[in-house]
Amino acid sequence: MTTTHKREQSGRHYDVLVAEDSPTQAQQLARLLAQDPDCRVRLAPDGVAALAAAREQPPDLVISDIAMPAMDGYALCRALKDDARLSAVPVLLFTRLTSLQDIVRSLEAGADGFVRKPYDGAQLRERVNRILRGRDAGAAARPLEVMADERRHIYELLVATHDQALRLNTELDTQRKDLARMVDSLALLGTIAGALNEAASEADVAGAALDHLLRMPALAGAAISTVAPDGAWCLLAQRGAAPDAGAGACLCAQGGALDDPASVCLPLLSGERRLGLLHARVRPDAFGDDERKLLGGVAQQVALALERARLYTRAEALVVERTQALRSERNRLSAVVETAGTLVLLADPEGRIVTFNRACEESLGWRADQALGRRCWDVVRGAEEPDIVRKLFTGLASDPPPPRLQGEWRTPDGRTRSIVWTHTLLRREDGGVEFVLATGIDVTELRGAEQRLHYASNYDAVTGLPNRDLLRERLRRMKARARSDGRMLGFMLLRFGRMALIREALGPGAELALLQEAAVRLRDVGAHEFVARFSEGAFALVLAGADAEELAAGARRVLAALSAPYAYEHEEFHLDPSIGIAIYPNDGVAYETLAKGAETALRQAADGVGQRYAFYRPELNQDANDRFKLENGLRRAIERGELELHYQPQIAVAGGAIASAEALLRWRHPERGFVPPATFIPLAEETGLILEIGEWVLHQVCRQLDTWRRAGLPVVPVAVNLSAHQFTERILGTVRRVLDDCGLAPGLLELELTESASMADAGKSFALLAQLKGLGIRLAIDDFGTGYSNLNYLKRFPVDRLKLDRSFVHELETDPDDLAIARAVIAMAHGLRLSVVAEGVETAGQLQLLADLGCDLVQGWLFSPAVPAEEFAAMLTAGPAPRAAAAAAPAQAPM
């Protein structure tokens, strides 16, 4: 009868509890056992769950994996066997049976049998049925009886384990000896490496290596030698019975071979470059391959240490040299920063000040010890916007600061300083900002000088009215406006007929008081026109009108206001004013033409009776026909060769040598002789001939300089005056073409531009001057002080020098105002790093005053008038000398 049939007869169902942490293997085992209809399988994911399930309902059989989380198979088996209710339940453990330990632990845990992985399904079912039948028959399963199939495998495993243990013991003993030698070698290498790391010089390296190397029993002695760049050998150190390595005695050092088995020489190499040799005396019976390898490792370490020592020695010398150079440079830089007149402030990106020089102390009112470490915005505070510096640093990470920051700054004691700051970011290698360098120029004094200079240059000191220079400029603007509006201008000159009589009767004080009162009335009545002081006894007005009648009405209004009686010391006076009128554009275009016409009309008005004003008529001027003839003659002057250039030297105040010259145009008329430049230059500008004449002058000057240079003369730069009509974009091409044609070095040519012309359109002038400067030529502002004198524009212009106008030099010895203006102009120019040329120097006294003021160059009749090219060439060779006649008496004004 089969087992299945017996179960069907008995009606008994068997409960098998499976403990397996792998769900896949657990399901596979459950399906295998469930093929028997009487077998009911319960699954537990680990030993803890299986123990709980067994205690809740004791099974007929427990099958458990050994490796499980929480509680493994051994622990589950012990727990079941220790429980009185469950101790009789047979337990099968899954195992790979790969070691004796598995069997021993299984027996110790009380397992009733093993299931080897991987298992055969049919055999497993048969074995499970056999265990369950045994329990039905009442036979208690004993471990050794159940495990009879494993006995052979256990025996074989025990025998193999014993043989393997013997073999492993032998191998371990050999490895232990090798490891001991390796440990000793590594310890020696480590000790040598540590000693070499502390050695600084080559001798220290050699000594440290040999002191430890001789701990090797196989060595009787050793030495280390090095080779110098020149090929000479040097013994660094020697210990014990070392081979003879001195003075290149070693055959290895000489490229020979060693025949002595007790001598070993190893090269000390850095790459392919030989640094030296390691010489060793060995004991052949104890020196094998391992010792040779160890000695080779030591040689490599010594070579590296020698290379490092050489590098360290060179680096140390270089560091000392660089340190001394940096210290010297730092001292020089510190001295420059401290003594420079420029403000120097260095701050970190958070705004903390790290450098604050003496100029900063003087201008900002903080001592360096107070400012260092503070935030910039606590020290540098704007007068109008106190936190402007804080905003600058707030945006530092995203936006760089503006390159220039100009304004007023407040000091702790309440003073205001005008400072122009320039910023530069000092960056680290990664691009981050390390410092912000700010340099500043304190222009407070220059601002005051600018204002005083502007007033002195453009306003009359007696009446406070604009002077003739400002009148000239204002007339130019009003002419442009009148052309666009289609109106005419009345240029009026006013003079008082009784002023000379009052001066003679009551003195200059009365004259001065009455002139000042007349200026007040003139300013009031001419509020909508331009009013100026024209000369000592004359005033000028410029009125705009639609026609002559409107201008006449304006003249009558002025006469009415100025004809009213004046009071002086309780007396009344009448000044009898007269007005002469010239009309633009009917009577002329140039300032000089209109002024001359108005003077002619003024004489007619003063000589007549009745209305006391007169308009200019061409027939009143006997020069009208002459002007026509002169214009025609000027048009043919170039082709007839009537124009010529004279050269006036510019003398260096320090040393008295000719430093440069000015080219002055002369017209030698065939009938009139020399025509004054003041006569034909305005005519050339009015007619447009100035452009052709100007280019001719540039060509002549450059050719003359080239001629002098080829003759071996010590040539100096020559200045050429530019008319306002020439100062357009055309001048750039003209200058470039002239320089190319003549092959002249640009530095020998200087262009002089009047102040009013250069500053009329500052933006355009700046761009044009920058392009001219880019050609390499020198630039100068002529007649400085007679025009705008606007430092805000001037400081941006790339010019090299200023020319102090002769009007300030003429009365330099007698007029304190002229002396003050000269002093201000020279100081301002030097503050802007410009040189100064004083024009019209005629006396030794003027020269001395200019020298005392620090003027750089002088030009005038004291040294020489403008002379022809041949005479100037002689002066270049012989040098200038002050003219005795000019020093003794006032000289005639040069043309």
Side-chain angles (χ1 to χ4, degrees):
M1 184 179 297
T2 65
T3 304
T4 303
H5 180 69
K6 290 180 179 180
R7 291 181 185 176
E8 291 176 353
Q9 288 182 340
S10 63
R12 170 77 185 277
H13 291 280
Y14 296 102
D15 182 18
V16 179
L17 178 62
V18 176
E20 173 62 67
D21 62 323
S22 170
T24 301
Q25 296 184 15
Q27 291 294 336
Q28 180 181 358
L29 183 59
R31 287 194 298 270
L32 177 67
L33 297 178
Q35 293 179 7
D36 295 328
D38 294 335
C39 186
R40 185 169 65 88
V41 180
R42 286 186 289 161
L43 299 178
D46 54 40
V48 175
L51 181 61
R55 287 176 176 173
E56 179 181 356
Q57 180 180 348
D60 295 311
L61 176 64
V62 174
I63 302 176
S64 174
D65 192 11
I66 290 179
M68 293 187 297
M71 177 183 288
D72 61 12
Y74 299 133
L76 173 61
C77 185
R78 282 193 296 269
L80 292 173
K81 297 303 180 180
D82 291 342
D83 192 323
R85 295 178 56 241
L86 302 174
S87 61
V89 176
V91 178
L92 289 179
L93 294 180
F94 278 105
T95 179
R96 292 188 181 277
L97 203 65
T98 57
S99 68
L100 183 61
Q101 184 180 7
D102 292 341
I103 298 174
V104 173
R105 291 188 64 185
S106 298
L107 293 176
E108 288 178 348
D112 297 288
F114 301 98
V115 177
R116 296 182 63 185
K117 289 185 177 181
Y119 56 81
D120 181 86
Q123 294 179 357
L124 178 60
R125 287 180 58 198
E126 180 63 27
R127 188 169 183 183
V128 170
N129 288 333
R130 189 166 60 249
I131 294 174
L132 293 177
R133 286 199 306 273
R135 288 180 57 81
D136 283 343
R142 307 306 302 168
L144 293 179
E145 295 174 356
V146 175
M147 295 167 50
D149 293 340
E150 280 77 21
R151 289 175 181 173
R152 179 175 53 84
H153 298 293
I154 293 172
Y155 174 77
E156 293 174 353
L157 183 61
L158 288 174
V159 172
T161 301
H162 178 264
D163 293 341
Q164 183 177 8
L166 293 176
R167 185 171 61 256
L168 287 176
N169 286 338
T170 302
E171 292 176 357
L172 286 175
D173 184 61
T174 302
Q175 292 178 1
R176 180 186 60 77
K177 294 178 181 178
D178 294 341
L179 184 60
R181 286 194 301 271
M182 187 181 300
V183 169
D184 291 341
S185 299
L186 290 176
L188 179 59
L189 289 175
T191 303
I192 293 176
L196 294 180
N197 284 336
E198 298 178 359
S201 66
E202 294 185 28
D204 293 340
V205 168
L210 295 182
D211 287 342
H212 296 281
L213 186 60
L214 289 186
R215 296 179 184 177
M216 290 179 59
L219 294 185
I224 293 177
S225 59
T226 60
V227 59
D230 60 359
W233 286 87
C234 174
L235 180 64
L236 292 179
Q238 183 172 344
R239 299 289 188 274
D244 186 4
C250 177
L251 293 177
C252 286
Q254 302 173 5
L258 287 175
D259 297 329
D260 187 359
S263 294
V264 176
C265 287
L266 298 178
L268 304 178
L269 301 176
S270 175
E272 297 182 356
R273 184 165 51 89
R274 175 180 290 194
L275 303 180
L277 289 171
L278 171 60
H279 316 267
R281 176 74 66 184
V282 302
R283 298 181 176 89
D285 56 337
F287 191 79
D289 291 339
D290 292 338
E291 286 74 17
R292 183 176 291 276
K293 291 180 181 179
L294 177 59
L295 197 61
V298 173
Q300 292 179 0
Q301 287 190 347
V302 172
L304 292 175
L306 287 176
E307 182 72 5
R308 185 179 66 248
R310 291 184 178 182
L311 292 176
Y312 177 79
T313 302
R314 289 196 295 268
E316 188 177 45
L318 185 59
V319 166
V320 171
E321 179 183 349
R322 292 288 177 85
T323 301
Q324 293 174 348
L326 287 174
R327 184 180 295 112
S328 177
E329 182 177 355
R330 183 188 62 188
N331 292 338
R332 291 195 301 270
L333 180 60
S334 177
V336 170
V337 169
E338 284 301 315
T339 58
T342 303
L343 285 72
V344 179
L345 189 152
L346 189 68
D348 62 18
E350 286 71 36
R352 286 183 292 268
I353 298 175
V354 297
T355 299
F356 194 82
N357 74 339
R358 191 178 306 162
C360 286
E361 292 181 321
E362 295 172 355
S363 293
L364 299 176
W366 290 77
R367 296 198 314 271
D369 58 351
Q370 295 174 326
L372 293 177
R374 288 180 179 266
R375 306 282 183 173
C376 283
W377 47 84
D378 294 334
V379 176
V380 185
R381 299 186 62 79
E384 297 181 358
E385 190 177 355
D387 289 335
I388 185 172
V389 178
R390 184 195 295 269
K391 295 178 181 178
L392 183 148
F393 275 88
T394 301
L396 193 62
S398 56
D399 299 319
R404 182 183 293 269
L405 191 62
Q406 180 176 348
E408 305 294 326
W409 308 90
R410 190 78 66 188
T411 63
D413 57 3
R415 293 181 297 119
T416 299
R417 307 295 295 178
S418 181
I419 302 174
V420 180
W421 291 100
T422 301
H423 304 92
T424 302
L425 297 182
L426 305 181
R427 299 184 180 275
R428 297 185 295 270
E429 292 185 0
D430 60 0
V433 177
E434 185 175 13
F435 292 107
V436 178
L437 174 63
T439 57
I441 299 178
D442 191 334
V443 296
T444 306
E445 284 71 21
L446 288 179
R447 288 281 183 258
E450 175 186 0
Q451 296 171 359
R452 293 191 298 272
L453 179 62
H454 181 269
Y455 185 85
S457 301
N458 295 282
Y459 291 88
D460 177 56
V462 176
T463 64
L465 293 175
N467 60 17
R468 329 180 35 153
D469 298 313
L470 190 54
L471 170 65
R472 181 193 296 266
E473 175 56 33
R474 190 59 59 89
L475 176 62
R476 185 184 64 82
R477 296 187 184 180
M478 294 181 72
K479 287 192 298 185
R481 189 161 56 248
R483 282 195 302 270
S484 63
D485 296 342
R487 295 165 65 85
M488 60 176 56
L489 295 179
F491 187 92
M492 301 183 181
L493 290 182
L494 181 147
R495 186 175 286 115
F496 299 100
R498 298 176 56 86
M499 190 61 72
L501 180 61
I502 291 173
R503 180 173 63 248
E504 293 176 4
L506 301 178
E511 180 188 24
L512 180 61
L514 294 176
L515 279 175
Q516 291 173 340
E517 174 62 23
V520 172
R521 295 187 190 184
L522 193 58
R523 185 184 291 112
D524 293 338
V525 74
H528 300 291
E529 291 81 19
F530 186 75
V531 181
R533 179 88 181 271
F534 184 76
S535 62
E536 184 176 352
F539 296 92
L541 297 89
V542 183
L543 283 70
D547 50 30
E549 182 55 37
E550 186 176 346
L551 297 177
R556 290 192 296 269
R557 186 175 68 251
V558 172
L559 287 172
L562 297 181
S563 297
Y566 295 81
Y568 179 73
E569 293 183 353
H570 310 293
E571 297 288 339
E572 287 188 355
F573 301 91
H574 292 271
L575 301 183
D576 293 340
S578 300
I579 295 178
I581 308 170
I583 297 178
Y584 166 85
N586 302 29
D587 299 330
V589 176
Y591 168 84
E592 289 79 6
T593 304
L594 293 173
K596 194 170 183 179
E599 286 180 335
T600 302
L602 179 58
R603 286 193 297 270
Q604 182 192 15
D607 294 340
V609 294
Q611 58 189 11
R612 307 294 294 176
Y613 70 90
F615 284 91
Y616 168 76
R617 294 193 304 274
E619 60 268 21
L620 299 177
N621 192 339
Q622 297 299 322
D623 294 333
N625 188 43
D626 289 343
R627 181 185 183 280
F628 177 75
K629 293 181 179 179
L630 203 62
E631 179 181 336
N632 289 334
L634 185 59
R635 292 183 182 276
R636 296 190 296 270
I638 296 179
E639 58 183 322
R640 291 179 176 178
E642 297 172 3
L643 297 180
E644 58 186 65
L645 290 176
H646 288 193
Y647 299 84
Q648 187 172 30
Q650 295 173 338
I651 310 302
V653 175
I658 298 177
S660 53
E662 181 179 4
L664 298 172
L665 183 62
R666 296 292 183 261
W667 181 14
R668 190 187 300 269
H669 194 278
E671 299 174 359
R672 303 184 182 211
F674 276 113
V675 180
T679 300
F680 73 86
I681 292 297
L683 184 61
E685 292 181 337
E686 289 182 35
T687 58
L689 291 172
I690 193 67
L691 298 178
E692 181 182 357
I693 294 175
E695 185 166 351
W696 179 86
V697 169
L698 284 173
H699 269 287
Q700 288 298 110
V701 168
C702 291
R703 288 195 186 102
Q704 187 62 69
L705 282 169
D706 186 59
T707 300
W708 287 336
R709 180 181 61 82
R710 292 176 183 275
L713 296 180
V715 294
V716 295
V718 175
V720 176
N721 288 282
L722 283 188
S723 166
H725 297 276
Q726 293 177 266
F727 192 58
T728 64
E729 288 77 4
R730 289 183 54 186
I731 189 63
L732 189 65
T734 300
V735 172
R736 185 182 289 114
R737 184 170 60 256
V738 168
L739 290 175
D740 292 341
D741 291 346
C742 300
L744 187 69
L748 291 175
L749 177 63
E750 178 176 298
L751 297 183
E752 291 186 3
L753 188 67
T754 60
E755 180 182 9
S756 56
S758 62
M759 295 185 182
D761 186 346
K764 173 184 174 183
S765 298
F766 177 76
L768 192 52
L769 288 172
Q771 294 180 73
L772 287 171
K773 190 64 178 175
L775 297 179
I777 65 174
R778 298 149 60 97
L779 299 174
I781 299 297
D782 195 13
D783 301 335
F784 186 77
T786 63
Y788 286 105
S789 302
N790 193 326
L791 299 186
N792 188 41
Y793 293 148
L794 181 61
K795 69 183 180 183
R796 298 173 54 212
F797 288 172
V799 297
D800 303 288
R801 62 175 56 169
L802 299 182
K803 298 196 74 175
L804 182 64
D805 188 62
R806 67 178 68 251
S807 62
F808 300 125
V809 177
H810 181 64
E811 297 180 3
L812 196 63
E813 299 173 84
T814 59
D815 191 337
D817 291 338
D818 285 347
L819 183 62
I821 291 173
R823 179 183 292 108
V825 170
I826 293 171
M828 177 207 62
H830 289 170
L832 296 174
R833 297 175 296 280
L834 306 177
S835 61
V836 179
V837 182
E839 294 182 299
V841 179
E842 301 173 354
T843 68
Q846 294 170 350
L847 175 62
Q848 185 59 50
L849 286 174
L850 290 170
D852 294 341
L853 295 178
C855 186
D856 305 288
L857 303 171
V858 291
Q859 172 182 352
W861 277 44
L862 177 63
F863 292 94
S864 173
V867 298
E870 297 77 10
E871 294 184 34
F872 187 76
M875 294 176 63
L876 286 176
T877 304
R883 290 156 52 98
Q892 178 184 356
M895 291 191 295

